[in-house]
Amino acid sequence: METKTFRPLTPSEVQQLESFGNRAEDWSNVQVTEAFDASLVRNNVFMGRVWLGAVNQGYVHDGDLRLPEGLYNSCLADATVGDHCAVHNVHMLSGYRVGDNCLLFNIDEMTASDPAGNPEYAWIEPMNECGGRRILPFPGMTIGDAYLWAKYRDHKEMVDRFEQMARNYLATPEGCYGQVGSHCVIKNTRTLHNVAVLSDAETPEDCVVLADGVVGYGCSCEYGCIAMRFLLGEHVHLEFGVRLNDTVVGDNSTIARCEVGNNIIFPAHEQHHNNSFLIASLVMGQSNLAAGCTVGSNHNGRTADNEIVAGRGFWPGLCTSLKHSSAFASYTLLAKGSYPAELSITLPFALVNNNASKNRLEVMPAYWWMYNMYALNRNMTKFAKRDKRKKKAQHIVFDPLAPDTAEEIINGRMLLKSWIEQAYLQFDKDKEHLEVTAFGMEKGKRKTVVLKWKEGYEAYEDMLIYYALNVLADGKTDAAMPEPLHDAPEREREWVNLGGQLVPQSELDTLIAAVEKGTVDSWQQVHACYDQWWADYEGWRRRHAYQVLCHLSQQRNLTPELWQQYLTRYAGILHFVAEQIKVTREKDNTNPYRRMTYRNDAEMSAVLG
């Protein structure tokens, strides 16, 4: 919000204001800009120090709602209202700085207090209900900030410095909670307490209760939602009665009709349906919770200190019930069912099924690649297309196949190889029908069976080649061989998903050390480091892709012969991908049960496109 010049009211303006039903504790504490029009301020009460911007005979619009500029039937205490705002029927506006061109309509209470005098001010407790990961949100905090602060609790010096950095920023006008950005609409709302609404031309609206939190740019909170102790990234939608507390919600996410508590949710998360809830979890984005999911429905410990951690692409099916504590590799698809024990799914892109009739857990590696290629390919594009953010402070990698998932695939191949070798040693008949048992994926005594293990192992190799050549050849089957890596370090095996941005663990360790030493002592400097990493990411990715091919070929560098072999494999994989996208989509279009609700093909085409 820009700095404006204010002046005291003139005696004639005070007389005019009183004639229009306005009252003040002390008119000398009410200051206005030069373009102030007292005739557009009616039936208000002013307490403490109040600053009012310019108003004229114009209107502020929100859809069909059209309200005249000015202040009407409201109570302001120690508040600032910017230029050309329409403030109507706000029963109490206290401690807030409202930007320009805002519309505030039918609000019971908007109050904010000074964080300096309250050490417990606005803390939120994500990922764990016992509070051991609590963070102090501030305007401009990214999802990566929240994850770094909540996850790396063993770095006590860093955690302490993060708190001081947050408090320093909260003490500035830009960092305080009681602010509403310009062009913001807030209407039909009961309570906003200690909330920062960051906005330019976007509108959070029609919310019921918001308390102790930050609403990012382009967010909307509507139709009866309640959010307390929260941080919303950019372009987040809370709607249709969602109840949210102690939760960080990543950019481009939508949550509705459910209970969500004590979580960190990375960008591009979808949770639309009734009867589902998400408790005490870390969900790393590009995820979808189907109707009836109960993720975090119960605790297996003696206190509420359990957690669920899910890599990106997490998709539990209808009415899925999970036990705390569980962990899932990236792009885990859970078939409908009540899973009876804790899970540790270490095979990425897998389908997991609780086979109650056979009393066993079943896992099919590379399921997305073998049987759901249309959805996998769609994920490569839809998240980027749906990215409506304007600020884009949080950097996000949308590709399902990236350095983090490639490393998970490499680890999954090693596990599969080990389990297959064990099965061969124990079973010397009918190798074609060999049953491969996995270990460590479920707590308890029943077995875990790997389905389609041969096809899955081969698919993992194709996925690694596809990932590496997409990076190095960019879809070209005649691309020139990249330069050898003579002095490059070993392949980076640990990649951190920092709120959607992928970073080598070694780089993150360097930042943590800098924070602990005090050479990085503000969140602005932390964010500058993120920006530099984002600039470096393409180089890191290309080096990693090259080294993945070296890993597969067991060579330190690629030869021209090897490169040509991989290009030939790549051409075949590209053809396979194109065919599988077509085949998996046609399964829907040719399904007679899907078609039977339409009179003819023309109607189906008109409806579905």
Side-chain angles (χ1 to χ4, degrees):
M1 300 179 191
E2 64 180 80
T3 302
K4 295 181 173 67
T5 300
F6 292 92
R7 61 169 176 80
L9 292 165
T10 65
S12 63
E13 286 174 329
V14 171
Q15 183 178 9
Q16 188 178 14
L17 286 168
E18 289 182 336
S19 70
F20 287 132
N22 298 288
R23 295 183 292 116
E25 285 184 329
D26 185 345
W27 284 113
S28 67
N29 287 331
V30 179
Q31 300 219 340
V32 298
T33 59
E34 197 59 45
F36 175 75
D37 185 345
S39 68
L40 302 178
V41 178
R42 305 192 177 206
N43 300 320
N44 302 289
V45 176
F46 302 111
M47 300 185 295
R49 298 183 64 82
V50 175
W51 294 264
L52 303 178
V55 288
N56 58 31
Q57 296 293 332
Y59 293 84
V60 182
H61 298 260
D62 176 52
D64 292 333
L65 180 63
R66 177 171 173 267
L67 295 175
E69 289 185 22
L71 282 75
Y72 300 86
N73 307 308
S74 299
C75 180
L76 279 69
D78 298 308
T80 300
V81 177
D83 294 340
H84 307 298
C85 292
V87 179
H88 293 249
N89 305 331
V90 179
H91 297 162
M92 174 55 72
L93 177 64
S94 173
Y96 269 84
R97 293 185 308 125
V98 179
D100 300 333
N101 304 104
C102 291
L103 187 155
L104 307 183
F105 177 57
N106 283 352
I107 301 171
D108 284 350
E109 177 187 345
M110 284 182 63
T111 56
S113 53
D114 182 2
N118 184 359
E120 295 304 312
Y121 183 78
W123 286 92
I124 65 176
E125 300 176 355
M127 294 173 59
N128 193 301
E129 292 179 90
C130 287
R133 298 188 184 275
R134 72 177 195 162
I135 62 176
L136 186 60
F138 54 87
M141 187 181 206
T142 70
I143 312 306
D145 297 337
Y147 172 75
L148 181 58
W149 191 341
K151 183 66 175 176
Y152 288 80
R153 305 300 289 196
D154 48 319
H155 291 271
K156 186 178 184 305
E157 181 68 25
M158 180 196 72
V159 170
D160 291 343
R161 288 187 180 273
F162 276 174
E163 179 181 348
Q164 188 57 53
M165 287 158 54
R167 290 193 179 280
N168 290 344
Y169 188 63
L170 285 167
T172 67
E174 298 78 16
C176 67
Y177 282 107
Q179 59 175 302
V180 175
S182 296
H183 302 278
C184 183
V185 174
I186 303 176
K187 62 185 183 182
N188 304 323
T189 299
R190 290 180 57 190
T191 304
L192 279 89
H193 177 66
N194 290 339
V195 175
V197 183
L198 308 181
S199 182
D200 38 31
E202 305 292 342
T203 57
E205 57 184 32
D206 290 336
C207 44
V208 176
V209 175
L210 298 179
D212 296 327
V214 178
V215 179
Y217 289 97
C219 293
S220 65
C221 305
E222 10 182 34
Y223 311 127
C225 72
I226 300 174
M228 306 183 72
R229 300 181 303 277
F230 64 92
L231 171 70
L232 305 185
E234 192 176 345
H235 202 251
V236 174
H237 303 286
L238 303 183
E239 55 193 18
F240 300 123
V242 61
R243 304 177 307 284
L244 182 140
N245 69 279
D246 293 284
T247 290
V248 176
V249 183
D251 306 40
N252 299 328
S253 296
T254 300
I255 303 180
R257 304 180 181 91
C258 55
E259 176 188 353
V260 178
N262 303 91
N263 306 286
I264 292 183
I265 302 169
F266 284 9
H269 175 78
E270 301 292 328
Q271 189 172 349
H272 298 277
H273 302 289
N274 284 318
N275 304 319
S276 58
F277 58 85
L278 181 65
I279 309 295
S281 300
L282 169 66
V283 181
M284 295 189 176
Q286 299 164 37
S287 42
N288 193 309
L289 266 63
C293 286
T294 53
V295 178
S297 57
N298 52 15
H299 293 282
N300 292 335
R302 289 165 179 79
T303 61
D305 59 357
N306 307 109
E307 300 175 0
I308 285 176
V309 177
R312 57 196 184 101
F314 183 55
W315 197 310
L318 293 168
C319 300
T320 299
S321 177
L322 298 175
K323 297 277 190 181
H324 275 104
S325 293
S326 292
F328 302 92
S330 295
Y331 283 88
T332 295
L333 177 62
L334 292 163
K336 174 182 178 180
S338 179
Y339 290 82
E342 300 93 321
L343 299 174
S344 177
I345 305 303
T346 48
L347 297 178
F349 298 92
L351 171 66
V352 180
N353 177 50
N354 174 41
N355 192 328
S357 63
K358 293 184 178 180
N359 190 31
R360 70 186 194 185
L361 184 71
E362 297 173 342
V363 181
M364 186 186 301
Y367 168 83
W368 289 75
W369 181 263
M370 295 188 294
Y371 300 107
N372 205 18
M373 185 67 78
Y374 176 80
L376 187 62
N377 181 75
R378 183 167 176 260
N379 285 341
M380 294 181 186
T381 58
K382 76 174 183 180
F383 295 125
K385 288 181 178 178
R386 293 177 180 178
D387 188 2
K388 305 300 183 184
R389 300 174 300 155
K390 295 183 178 179
K391 305 296 181 181
K392 297 188 177 181
Q394 174 64 57
H395 303 300
I396 306 171
V397 172
F398 292 112
D399 293 334
L401 291 173
D404 61 333
T405 50
E407 287 299 324
E408 290 185 65
I409 290 171
I410 290 172
N411 182 64
R413 289 182 80 239
M414 293 173 59
L415 290 172
L416 272 178
K417 185 174 184 292
S418 173
W419 295 331
I420 292 168
E421 289 173 347
Q422 291 181 57
Y424 265 88
L425 290 174
Q426 296 173 9
F427 191 75
D428 56 4
K429 299 178 182 179
D430 193 12
K431 302 295 188 183
E432 289 297 317
H433 298 91
L434 184 70
E435 183 178 270
V436 174
T437 302
F439 299 94
M441 286 204 187
E442 183 182 53
K443 181 180 179 181
K445 297 182 179 179
R446 70 174 188 167
K447 63 183 177 180
T448 299
V449 175
V450 181
L451 305 178
K452 303 282 186 179
W453 50 269
K454 182 175 182 294
E455 295 89 338
Y457 186 82
E458 294 171 350
Y460 275 162
E461 182 172 5
D462 285 346
M463 293 172 76
L464 290 173
I465 294 172
Y466 184 66
Y467 153 70
L469 270 295
N470 276 348
V471 174
L472 299 173
D474 194 24
K476 301 174 183 177
T477 56
D478 59 350
M481 188 178 76
E483 291 294 321
L485 300 177
H486 293 298
D487 300 318
E490 289 189 10
R491 188 183 86 248
E492 184 67 56
R493 289 171 168 79
E494 294 184 58
W495 291 80
V496 178
N497 185 346
L498 195 65
Q501 178 177 5
L502 299 182
V503 180
Q505 180 68 60
S506 57
E507 295 287 336
L508 187 62
D509 291 340
T510 300
L511 173 61
I512 291 173
V515 172
E516 291 176 336
K517 291 177 182 177
T519 54
V520 172
D521 61 358
S522 72
W523 284 107
Q524 290 87 342
Q525 289 178 293
V526 172
H527 295 168
C529 187
Y530 296 167
D531 293 340
Q532 183 59 53
W533 288 343
W534 189 243
D536 294 338
Y537 174 69
E538 183 58 29
W540 294 341
R541 187 173 73 128
R542 289 187 64 82
R543 185 176 70 195
H544 182 265
Y546 184 96
Q547 291 173 319
V548 165
L549 293 181
C550 292
H551 166 79
L552 290 174
S553 60
Q554 301 288 299
Q555 301 292 325
R556 290 186 61 85
N557 273 296
L558 299 178
T559 63
E561 293 77 16
L562 275 173
W563 177 250
Q564 190 56 51
Q565 289 175 22
Y566 280 125
L567 284 179
T568 302
R569 285 278 301 273
Y570 183 50
I573 294 170
L574 286 173
H575 178 74
F576 168 79
V577 169
E579 285 297 310
Q580 285 300 112
I581 290 171
K582 180 181 177 181
V583 167
T584 52
R585 181 54 174 163
E586 281 182 346
K587 288 179 182 178
D588 287 339
N589 292 335
T590 59
N591 183 342
Y593 289 91
R594 182 180 176 88
R595 299 172 67 88
M596 68 184 181
T597 61
Y598 302 95
R599 293 169 21 256
N600 50 44
D601 288 349
E603 182 193 355
M604 184 174 179
S605 177
V607 173
L608 301 181

